[in-house]
Amino acid sequence: MSALLTIADLLSLEKYTLTRQDFRQQVMRLKKNRQVNLGEHIRLLFENQMTVRYQIQEMLRIEKIFEAAEIQEELDTYNPMIPTGLNLKATMMIEYNEVEDRKEALSKLIGVERSIYIRVGGHEKVYPICNEDLKRETEDKTSSVHFMRFEFTQAMVDEFCNDAKVSMGVEHDYYPQSIVLDQLTQDKLKQDFN
């Protein structure tokens, strides 16, 4: 389980600028083994304390934020993406290279985020709680980015950490998918439960 970030966990803009390149490379390596592709067009990035800290540091840098109250606002915005023991949290991205293809897909994929599941061993499928920050779809289309939280029982977590088969999929009429999580990714995600 990762602790939530505080102002004390963040670097000043000046210090972050000096270490940014190394930190960015470290985070990119970490993200590589925390991503799951569900078919060609849906990717889930499972967040943790380091990925969230990187996102906050980047926002502070881009927006040139240095006031404590504004930094706290960023922490309040992004801390909910850090796993808290019995859950995994992910950013889901719908990715199409061509604008017209993406536009058409987003109109057909309404509700896709709620159709994604994780199944640990023989347990029931776990569907995510989605977009707790704001609504990300209209009657006409869904967003290309969604935030999701998968809540597990302790028994599911125990089996996940003891290398039970973990499958993931999409149960959406327009985009059905099913995969088995590879061992390397499962090993990385286990850390989110400790």
Side-chain angles (χ1 to χ4, degrees):
M1 171 171 70
S2 298
L4 298 182
L5 294 164
T6 66
I7 290 176
D9 296 313
L10 302 173
L11 297 174
S12 68
L13 294 178
E14 296 82 8
K15 286 182 181 174
Y16 183 63
T17 300
L18 295 173
T19 61
R20 180 175 180 253
Q21 200 58 35
D22 288 341
F23 185 51
R24 183 177 187 284
Q25 289 175 358
Q26 187 180 359
V27 171
M28 293 307 122
R29 283 193 302 272
L30 175 77
K31 283 183 175 185
K32 183 179 176 185
N33 296 318
R34 297 182 62 81
Q35 295 183 83
V36 174
N37 292 311
L38 297 171
E40 292 182 40
H41 303 291
I42 292 182
R43 180 168 53 99
L44 273 68
L45 169 62
F46 286 90
E47 307 285 359
N48 70 1
Q49 189 189 62
M50 183 181 277
T51 65
V52 171
R53 184 162 56 107
Y54 173 71
Q55 186 66 35
I56 293 170
Q57 291 282 184
E58 285 293 301
M59 289 304 295
L60 298 179
R61 184 185 73 84
I62 291 165
E63 302 291 332
K64 297 188 180 6
I65 296 171
F66 56 88
E67 296 288 339
E70 293 177 46
I71 294 171
Q72 189 59 52
E73 283 180 30
E74 295 298 321
L75 287 164
D76 294 343
T77 298
Y78 289 99
N79 262 334
M81 290 304 299
I82 298 175
T84 55
L86 290 176
N87 54 40
L88 294 173
K89 297 185 180 181
T91 301
M92 183 194 92
M93 291 147 285
I94 301 171
E95 301 171 321
Y96 285 81
N97 291 331
E98 301 299 324
V99 173
E100 285 305 313
D101 293 343
R102 182 171 52 250
K103 188 174 178 181
E104 179 184 354
L106 293 178
S107 71
K108 293 180 178 180
L109 285 170
I110 294 171
V112 69
E113 71 280 6
R114 295 182 297 278
S115 75
I116 291 177
Y117 68 86
I118 299 175
R119 184 173 188 186
V120 180
H123 291 280
E124 292 181 12
K125 294 174 181 174
V126 175
Y127 297 89
I129 298 160
C130 300
N131 303 318
E132 296 175 278
D133 58 340
L134 55 96
K135 187 175 178 185
R136 294 184 179 272
E137 68 184 21
T138 65
E139 293 177 5
D140 302 322
K141 69 179 183 76
T142 190
S143 172
S144 58
V145 178
H146 294 274
F147 300 101
M148 39 188 48
R149 173 169 54 96
F150 295 89
E151 290 291 339
F152 301 96
T153 64
Q154 186 62 58
M156 291 174 184
V157 168
D158 292 345
E159 287 189 36
F160 191 110
C161 293
N162 287 313
D163 297 327
K165 176 179 149 187
V166 176
S167 57
M168 293 183 66
V170 183
E171 294 177 341
H172 191 280
D173 291 341
Y174 181 71
Y175 192 86
Q177 299 291 325
S178 180
I179 66 158
V180 173
L181 200 61
D182 66 79
Q183 191 62 50
L184 180 59
T185 304
Q186 187 169 343
D187 288 344
K188 294 297 179 188
L189 298 184
K190 284 179 199 179
Q191 298 168 11
D192 294 354
F193 298 123
N194 298 324

